[in-house]
Amino acid sequence: MTSKTTLRVIPLGGLGEIGRNMMLLEYGDDIIVIDVGLMFPEEEMLGVDLVIPDFTYLRERREKVRAVFLTHGHEDHVGALPYFLREFDVPVYSTRLTDGLIRVKLQEHRLLQKAKTHVVEPGQVIEAGVFRVEFFTVAHSIPDACGLIIQTPLGPVVHTGDFKLDHTPVMDQHTDLIRLAQVGAEGCLLLMADSTYAEVDGYTPSEQLVGEALKQIMVNAPGRVIVATFASLISRVQQVIDAAVFTGRKVFVTGRSMIDNVAMARQLGYLQAPEGTIVGVEEMRNTPPAKLVVITTGSQGEPTSALTKMANGDHRHIQIVKGDTVVLSASPIPGNEQAVYRNVDNLFRLGADVLYNRVSNIHVRGHASREELKIIQGLLQPEYFVPIHGEYRHLVVHARLAESVGVPQGNAFVLTDGDVLEIDEEAAWLGERVPASYVYVDGLGIGDVDQHILRDRAHLSTDGVVVVIVTVEKQTGALDRPAEILARGFLDLEEREDLAERTREVVAKALQGAEHYAEFGDINTRIRDAVSKFLYDETRRRPMVLTVTVEV
Amino acid sequence: MTSKTTLRVIPLGGLGEIGRNMMLLEYGDDIIVIDVGLMFPEEEMLGVDLVIPDFTYLRERREKVRAVFLTHGHEDHVGALPYFLREFDVPVYSTRLTDGLIRVKLQEHRLLQKAKTHVVEPGQVIEAGVFRVEFFTVAHSIPDACGLIIQTPLGPVVHTGDFKLDHTPVMDQHTDLIRLAQVGAEGCLLLMADSTYAEVDGYTPSEQLVGEALKQIMVNAPGRVIVATFASLISRVQQVIDAAVFTGRKVFVTGRSMIDNVAMARQLGYLQAPEGTIVGVEEMRNTPPAKLVVITTGSQGEPTSALTKMANGDHRHIQIVKGDTVVLSASPIPGNEQAVYRNVDNLFRLGADVLYNRVSNIHVRGHASREELKIIQGLLQPEYFVPIHGEYRHLVVHARLAESVGVPQGNAFVLTDGDVLEIDEEAAWLGERVPASYVYVDGLGIGDVDQHILRDRAHLSTDGVVVVIVTVEKQTGALDRPAEILARGFLDLEEREDLAERTREVVAKALQGAEHYAEFGDINTRIRDAVSKFLYDETRRRPMVLTVTVEV
């Protein structure tokens, strides 16, 4: 299956969904891993906390795994690293801020002592088996984001990570077009590029626009300005601080992950604030509203976040009042719309003015739009192309875009998680698939929640549960007393005693029909079927019916 | 509370949410009802089928209710009518298509014989107690849509229904600006206008754009063109048929509600198709793909819709193949995004080309944007303004818009469901609130699902249920045998027999501590607490624990 002269490209996550990004490159006896991200559960993954990649393929080739390379510090690129490092003892390479972020995470998981993390600089080359991996800078919504140039025996492979082309970035980190042009001139074997925004025409605007907008808002706002954004969006936090300084306002930071990230970023020098700008609770209380800015988590409507607490009137330090201006400096991630807009509505109800994506330009996204993607294609002119990071439709439109600007027809491969692209000197083709299912993390369990359990949760969520306990005479199987009926999430059976009574009659009748004292399984099935049918006929609902028979 | 000379404006639905629109006007002994709509459940309303308005206020004033006026035939304006007419025997007035649609619905509910529905023409005036109600045409995404001019003893009230200003509508139905200008010239007491799109700058584009785009798509498509849209969007269906005729294609209709609505609209003359254009299954099968258009339901990703079946490879008559072009001529309604884009992904996977809102202009919305809303304000120059039909944020921005173009400061009232606006010759003020809670329809039950049951469903959906059956000796309360443990949606306890065994031990231990044979309630609580704590410590999950004690 694995030839010595074949490069194998194996996405384990992020191709066909947004999140849990993880890509393998394999050549002969060497495998390198690019990113080990997590995904937040989709609507139907009821009760699941996180989704991580399936490491089965690597478990079976443990001795081949040379290193992990992380492109940047967002959760969808590094969040599953602790789960990975529990099992694999390999070095991890990333730039400085990314390293800072994963060390916090590894500490929480008590893996920091054991982990071999290494800080690299852009331009630095790491040897990992047959691969030579060079980091290059990209503009993205977190500092120190990088792409990778991977020299392989067949030629260079470029992985963009997440990127856009911001010519006026806040922290002066451009996408290194010159380095990419050099690779293109040498001849790029394979390009793997970010597809998140491949549907969007034109260019993604510069972060600078947001800075101007924030200043304008703070100049005009009559009272406090409360800005919610992603805790990892450190350049945005810097812009808020800059605008506060410009308008003579103090800054109060709230929300656990925002407090942590601001502290870490200041410590590492990624966030600059003049002495006395960032204030604590006491000083915040003594600052007039017109001289105050609050930076908070909760831009996605997360239920326990600081902004959601403010919107619900539950925040310990901040009560929203008329005169407050709340700025949601983020777009709702698909799936979060209801939660985000519920906060907007509640903030309006409390009297705040609310500026959000539908009514103001107070956010720009961190991913390249179509014209930017074309520029990358033009610089690299790759022989093969694999769109990465996106839902299936994003990958399809990105592959088409690539073919429209020069990738040879048939050389743009739309892969999804678990597909294997094999490349040799002559050609590229799809190999045999590898395991790449969703692995669910729920509480302490990893992978013990399966489709069966999720189906049960979906069933329970729709019409609840009815438990029927039947006590029967051991010898004869005759009913010893009326059945006991319990319901949750179905109907209030205490209020509907008539229905409970008739259900007991249905149970009694179901048992009368029995010719012989049968197996309990049979009795239980017989009762379940009878009760399910009866309740459906009566209510047109289908609760999950559980029956237990107790012999006396 | 009710003065003879006070006009009371009472929204029972649609102000603070999208859907279940229902507005009351009350003056002295007369109440009229405008629209009786339903709402589709939000994410957290687990298992609920529909949400309807709370009729409590009307139940208590049954003899005052004079008539129902329906602005147009969409579900969010007429869908709760059957539930209303079960209880209230009053005449219902609407235009012809609306009447056709509600008659189908009343037939299903076996209420048609008893219902007093009346067809009215725009311009016609209906007397209902002290009110005189005139229908005027508006442009919207369904034919025969109207607004209402209601003459009251205090002056005219205008209710726009849902509307936009399309100057080149498909079915030639303009918003009657001339009639509105006349009312404005006479002096409009109160305007209530559609807020759905009050966040959106500029103008909503004309339906004509969509017609051009559909023709272009059908000219270029190499094979079948499959167009999904709302079944009620009859003008869009007409545009699809027109484009099919223009490009020499036959039309096959699929999806229950689409088939029904097309049949009804053709019968009433709202849909024109040349003889032989619309074909059945047999003829569809014998038509070359390049000569075929399919019109289908499923534009919102509804799980049992025809398009979702096609996307899953489950449709009885249509298998998606390479060469098919699928057009989603609709925007995802908030909350439906995941389902819609899942279909897009699956259709791409099957080889179709998919045109959807993010990549093509193949839909325009049916509601007025900000510039259109300003025109209505300018024509009517109302003394008072109440924004209707929208989430709270839409109402707030619409009220601000109104004040910015001439409504006197303080005269734009942001009401939500159950608020009462009282108006007399001198002033307007908020009265005492009336009941307006969400009434849930679930199966056959109306209003029997409450917050308590929904909380249980949410709990069950997150971590499942664990049932513990304990058999105790009647006299002593001693455990007669090991407890029986059942789990669903939690963990597979058959696979995790160790955990089941230790849970049984926890139960046994919990009972040992008992000093005396206590009440069953106590035993059950004691066991539940012990098991809940144990399972949380072991798994960090919180299943719902139900305990039943059987005495032997």
Side-chain angles (χ1 to χ4, degrees):
Chain A
M1 180 168 143
T2 314
S3 151
K4 280 286 173 201
T5 56
T6 302
L7 176 68
R8 288 161 55 81
V9 178
I10 309 175
L12 290 185
L15 277 69
E17 72 259 328
I18 299 284
R20 66 159 206 161
N21 295 294
M22 183 169 187
M23 175 66 79
L24 312 182
L25 289 186
E26 179 174 14
Y27 189 94
D29 288 332
D30 301 310
I31 295 176
I32 58 171
V33 178
I34 303 169
D35 291 336
V36 192
L38 61 74
M39 175 172 134
F40 294 101
E42 294 177 0
E43 221 172 284
E44 74 280 9
M45 302 174 188
L46 294 166
V48 169
D49 299 324
L50 304 171
V51 185
I52 63 174
D54 183 340
F55 305 139
T56 304
Y57 184 78
L58 294 176
R59 269 182 213 118
E60 292 165 356
R61 288 157 187 81
R62 195 174 289 281
E63 73 295 345
K64 285 186 164 190
V65 185
R66 299 287 162 249
V68 174
F69 299 88
L70 303 175
T71 59
H72 63 283
H74 280 152
E75 291 288 351
D76 54 334
H77 293 260
V78 305
L81 189 67
Y83 302 96
F84 180 80
L85 289 184
R86 280 187 205 181
E87 294 191 54
F88 296 89
D89 180 28
V90 295
V92 178
Y93 298 93
S94 65
T95 46
R96 202 155 63 94
L97 179 66
T98 310
D99 189 68
L101 287 162
I102 63 172
R103 289 174 69 86
V104 173
K105 195 179 293 294
L106 292 173
Q107 178 80 55
E108 281 167 19
H109 284 257
R110 300 179 187 196
L111 287 164
L112 189 55
Q113 300 310 319
K114 165 178 168 235
K116 302 169 188 156
T117 76
H118 303 275
V119 174
V120 298
E121 294 289 325
Q124 202 178 327
V125 175
I126 311 297
E127 305 220 1
V130 74
F131 301 104
R132 292 165 48 85
V133 181
E134 174 188 344
F135 286 69
F136 68 94
T137 61
V138 297
H140 184 45
S141 46
I142 186 169
D144 274 12
C146 281
L148 304 172
I149 298 161
I150 303 137
Q151 299 293 345
T152 77
L154 295 176
V157 171
V158 173
H159 184 292
T160 64
D162 283 350
F163 82 104
K164 64 176 176 174
L165 302 184
D166 189 337
H167 302 291
T168 53
V170 177
M171 290 176 162
D172 208 33
Q173 186 170 349
H174 295 75
T175 296
D176 189 348
L177 299 179
I178 293 174
R179 186 71 191 98
L180 290 179
Q182 289 168 344
V183 176
E186 291 163 26
C188 176
L189 176 70
L190 166 66
L191 168 63
M192 298 188 275
D194 179 10
S195 311
T196 315
Y197 246 38
E199 285 167 336
V200 179
D201 280 326
Y203 290 87
T204 302
S206 171
E207 292 283 334
Q208 210 174 46
L209 287 185
V210 177
E212 296 303 324
L214 287 169
K215 274 185 199 165
Q216 212 50 54
I217 290 165
M218 291 189 202
V219 166
N220 294 329
R224 284 187 298 197
V225 175
I226 297 165
V227 183
T229 192
F230 300 99
S232 64
L233 189 36
I234 287 160
S235 61
R236 189 67 48 81
V237 174
Q238 182 69 65
Q239 290 181 300
V240 175
I241 292 171
D242 292 347
V245 171
F246 179 81
T247 55
R249 291 173 182 253
K250 304 280 181 195
V251 174
F252 176 73
V253 180
T254 184
R256 179 51 41 203
S257 58
M258 187 63 83
I259 292 170
D260 289 351
N261 273 18
V262 166
M264 190 273 300
R266 289 182 77 187
Q267 198 185 326
L268 293 181
Y270 286 91
L271 209 50
Q272 315 295 337
E275 192 64 30
T277 304
I278 297 182
V279 300
V281 175
E282 278 314 309
E283 198 174 342
M284 187 263 288
R285 291 224 165 102
N286 296 327
T287 307
K291 292 286 164 203
L292 194 65
V293 169
V294 176
I295 302 180
T296 178
T297 54
S299 66
Q300 296 301 308
E302 302 90 329
T304 60
S305 66
L307 186 70
T308 302
K309 284 181 187 156
M310 293 179 213
N312 295 337
D314 288 341
H315 194 278
R316 211 144 51 100
H317 304 306
I318 296 166
Q319 282 78 46
I320 298 293
V321 295
K322 205 171 155 63
D324 285 339
T325 303
V326 180
V327 181
L328 292 192
S329 189
S331 303
I333 292 171
N336 296 347
E337 292 89 351
Q338 286 199 24
V340 170
Y341 293 124
R342 184 162 311 163
N343 275 354
V344 172
D345 288 335
N346 288 336
L347 291 163
F348 269 127
R349 282 195 179 91
L350 293 171
D353 194 10
V354 190
L355 304 175
Y356 54 107
N357 66 320
R358 295 268 178 86
V359 296
S360 296
N361 288 321
I362 27 89
H363 180 61
V364 296
R365 291 280 297 267
H367 301 272
S369 302
R370 293 175 66 82
E371 290 307 313
E372 294 159 87
L373 297 174
K374 289 179 191 169
I375 289 171
I376 297 299
Q377 294 283 348
L379 289 174
L380 284 163
Q381 300 183 13
E383 191 172 340
Y384 299 106
F385 175 63
V386 172
I388 58 173
H389 307 169
E391 302 278 359
Y392 194 80
R393 62 191 178 278
H394 303 135
L395 307 179
V396 170
V397 299
H398 197 182
R400 288 184 187 171
L401 174 146
E403 292 192 341
S404 78
V405 295
V407 169
Q409 284 291 320
N411 281 13
F413 288 87
V414 175
L415 307 183
T416 57
D417 302 340
D419 280 341
V420 177
L421 180 67
E422 306 203 14
I423 307 179
D424 69 9
E425 303 276 1
E426 312 285 308
W429 63 94
L430 287 183
E432 206 179 315
R433 279 178 54 80
V434 309
S437 51
Y438 283 172
V439 174
Y440 300 121
V441 178
D442 184 1
L444 297 179
I446 302 169
D448 61 356
V449 169
D450 56 14
Q451 286 306 322
H452 182 72
I453 287 175
L454 291 183
R455 262 199 308 277
D456 281 349
R457 288 181 184 171
H459 185 172
L460 288 165
S461 75
T462 308
D463 286 323
V465 62
V466 172
V467 183
V468 181
I469 294 97
V470 180
T471 314
V472 296
E473 231 286 307
K474 192 184 288 197
Q475 305 307 328
T476 61
L479 207 55
D480 179 72
R481 65 192 81 172
E484 192 150 350
I485 318 267
L486 236 75
R488 290 291 185 279
F490 168 59
L491 268 176
D492 188 339
L493 283 188
E494 287 173 24
E495 268 184 18
R496 293 288 306 273
E497 178 48 35
D498 61 309
L499 194 66
E501 180 52 34
R502 283 191 293 144
T503 308
R504 282 191 285 270
E505 285 165 19
V506 166
V507 173
K509 210 164 153 196
L511 285 177
Q512 275 168 19
E515 300 211 348
H516 193 268
Y517 182 37
E519 286 281 305
F520 277 168
D522 282 347
I523 291 189
N524 284 338
T525 307
R526 183 189 280 259
I527 295 170
R528 192 177 63 231
D529 292 351
V531 170
S532 296
K533 182 176 181 312
F534 170 72
L535 292 178
Y536 179 74
D537 289 345
E538 288 289 315
T539 67
R540 287 287 181 281
R541 298 180 201 171
R542 298 186 187 282
M544 180 182 283
V545 177
L546 300 177
T547 58
V548 181
T549 311
V550 178
E551 275 188 327
V552 294
Chain B
M1 178 167 142
T2 313
S3 150
K4 281 286 174 200
T5 56
T6 302
L7 176 67
R8 288 163 54 83
V9 178
I10 309 174
L12 291 185
L15 275 69
E17 73 258 328
I18 299 284
R20 64 160 209 161
N21 295 294
M22 183 168 186
M23 176 64 81
L24 311 182
L25 289 185
E26 180 175 12
Y27 190 95
D29 289 332
D30 300 309
I31 295 177
I32 58 170
V33 178
I34 303 170
D35 290 338
V36 192
L38 62 76
M39 175 171 133
F40 294 101
E42 293 176 2
E43 224 172 279
E44 75 279 8
M45 302 174 189
L46 294 166
V48 169
D49 298 325
L50 304 171
V51 185
I52 63 174
D54 184 340
F55 304 139
T56 304
Y57 184 78
L58 294 176
R59 269 183 212 116
E60 293 164 355
R61 288 155 186 82
R62 195 174 291 280
E63 73 296 346
K64 284 186 164 190
V65 185
R66 300 286 162 249
V68 173
F69 299 88
L70 302 176
T71 59
H72 62 284
H74 281 152
E75 290 289 351
D76 54 334
H77 293 260
V78 306
L81 189 67
Y83 301 96
F84 180 82
L85 289 183
R86 281 186 205 179
E87 295 190 51
F88 296 90
D89 181 28
V90 295
V92 178
Y93 299 93
S94 65
T95 46
R96 200 156 64 95
L97 179 66
T98 310
D99 189 70
L101 286 163
I102 63 171
R103 290 174 69 86
V104 172
K105 193 178 295 294
L106 293 172
Q107 177 81 55
E108 282 167 17
H109 284 257
R110 299 181 190 194
L111 287 163
L112 189 55
Q113 299 310 316
K114 164 179 170 237
K116 300 169 188 156
T117 76
H118 303 275
V119 173
V120 297
E121 294 288 325
Q124 201 177 328
V125 176
I126 312 296
E127 307 221 357
V130 75
F131 300 104
R132 292 166 48 86
V133 181
E134 174 188 343
F135 285 69
F136 68 94
T137 60
V138 296
H140 184 46
S141 47
I142 186 169
D144 274 12
C146 281
L148 303 172
I149 298 160
I150 304 137
Q151 300 291 344
T152 77
L154 296 175
V157 172
V158 173
H159 184 293
T160 64
D162 283 350
F163 82 104
K164 62 176 176 176
L165 302 184
D166 190 337
H167 301 292
T168 53
V170 177
M171 286 173 165
D172 208 32
Q173 187 171 347
H174 295 75
T175 296
D176 190 347
L177 299 179
I178 293 175
R179 185 71 191 97
L180 290 179
Q182 290 168 345
V183 176
E186 291 163 26
C188 176
L189 175 71
L190 167 67
L191 168 63
M192 299 188 274
D194 179 10
S195 311
T196 315
Y197 246 37
E199 288 167 334
V200 180
D201 281 326
Y203 290 87
T204 302
S206 170
E207 291 283 335
Q208 210 175 45
L209 287 186
V210 177
E212 296 303 323
L214 287 170
K215 273 185 198 165
Q216 212 51 52
I217 290 165
M218 290 188 203
V219 167
N220 293 329
R224 284 187 298 197
V225 175
I226 297 165
V227 184
T229 194
F230 300 99
S232 63
L233 189 35
I234 288 161
S235 62
R236 188 68 47 83
V237 174
Q238 181 70 62
Q239 289 181 302
V240 176
I241 292 171
D242 291 347
V245 170
F246 178 81
T247 54
R249 291 173 182 255
K250 303 281 183 192
V251 175
F252 177 72
V253 180
T254 184
R256 179 50 41 204
S257 60
M258 187 63 83
I259 292 169
D260 289 351
N261 272 17
V262 165
M264 189 272 300
R266 290 181 77 186
Q267 200 185 326
L268 292 181
Y270 287 90
L271 208 50
Q272 315 294 339
E275 191 67 28
T277 303
I278 297 181
V279 300
V281 176
E282 279 313 309
E283 198 173 341
M284 187 263 287
R285 292 222 164 104
N286 296 327
T287 306
K291 291 286 164 202
L292 193 65
V293 169
V294 175
I295 302 179
T296 178
T297 54
S299 66
Q300 296 301 309
E302 304 91 328
T304 59
S305 66
L307 186 70
T308 302
K309 285 182 187 157
M310 291 180 213
N312 295 337
D314 289 341
H315 194 280
R316 210 146 50 103
H317 303 308
I318 296 166
Q319 283 79 45
I320 297 293
V321 293
K322 205 172 155 64
D324 285 340
T325 302
V326 179
V327 181
L328 293 193
S329 190
S331 303
I333 292 170
N336 295 348
E337 292 88 350
Q338 286 199 25
V340 170
Y341 293 124
R342 184 161 310 164
N343 275 354
V344 171
D345 288 335
N346 288 336
L347 291 163
F348 268 127
R349 283 196 178 89
L350 293 171
D353 195 10
V354 190
L355 304 174
Y356 54 106
N357 65 321
R358 295 268 178 85
V359 296
S360 296
N361 288 321
I362 27 92
H363 180 60
V364 297
R365 293 279 296 267
H367 301 272
S369 302
R370 292 175 66 84
E371 291 306 313
E372 295 159 87
L373 297 174
K374 289 178 191 169
I375 289 172
I376 297 300
Q377 294 283 349
L379 288 175
L380 284 163
Q381 298 182 14
E383 191 172 341
Y384 300 106
F385 175 62
V386 171
I388 57 173
H389 306 168
E391 302 279 358
Y392 193 79
R393 61 190 178 280
H394 303 136
L395 306 179
V396 170
V397 299
H398 197 182
R400 289 184 185 172
L401 175 146
E403 292 192 341
S404 78
V405 296
V407 169
Q409 284 290 322
N411 281 11
F413 288 87
V414 175
L415 307 183
T416 57
D417 304 340
D419 281 340
V420 176
L421 179 68
E422 305 202 14
I423 306 178
D424 69 8
E425 302 277 1
E426 311 286 309
W429 63 94
L430 286 184
E432 203 179 319
R433 279 178 55 79
V434 308
S437 52
Y438 283 174
V439 174
Y440 300 122
V441 178
D442 184 1
L444 296 179
I446 302 168
D448 60 358
V449 169
D450 56 17
Q451 287 306 324
H452 182 73
I453 288 176
L454 291 183
R455 262 199 307 276
D456 281 349
R457 288 181 185 173
H459 186 172
L460 290 165
S461 75
T462 308
D463 286 323
V465 63
V466 172
V467 183
V468 180
I469 295 97
V470 180
T471 313
V472 297
E473 232 285 306
K474 192 184 285 197
Q475 306 305 330
T476 63
L479 205 57
D480 180 72
R481 66 191 82 172
E484 191 149 351
I485 318 267
L486 235 75
R488 290 289 186 281
F490 168 59
L491 268 176
D492 189 337
L493 283 188
E494 287 174 23
E495 268 184 20
R496 294 286 307 272
E497 177 50 34
D498 62 308
L499 194 66
E501 180 52 34
R502 283 191 293 145
T503 308
R504 280 190 287 268
E505 285 164 17
V506 167
V507 173
K509 210 165 152 196
L511 285 178
Q512 275 166 18
E515 300 209 350
H516 194 268
Y517 182 38
E519 286 281 304
F520 277 169
D522 282 349
I523 292 190
N524 285 338
T525 307
R526 181 188 282 260
I527 296 170
R528 191 177 63 230
D529 291 351
V531 169
S532 296
K533 182 176 181 315
F534 170 72
L535 293 178
Y536 178 74
D537 289 345
E538 288 289 315
T539 66
R540 289 285 183 283
R541 298 180 200 173
R542 299 186 187 281
M544 179 181 283
V545 177
L546 301 177
T547 57
V548 181
T549 311
V550 179
E551 275 188 328
V552 294

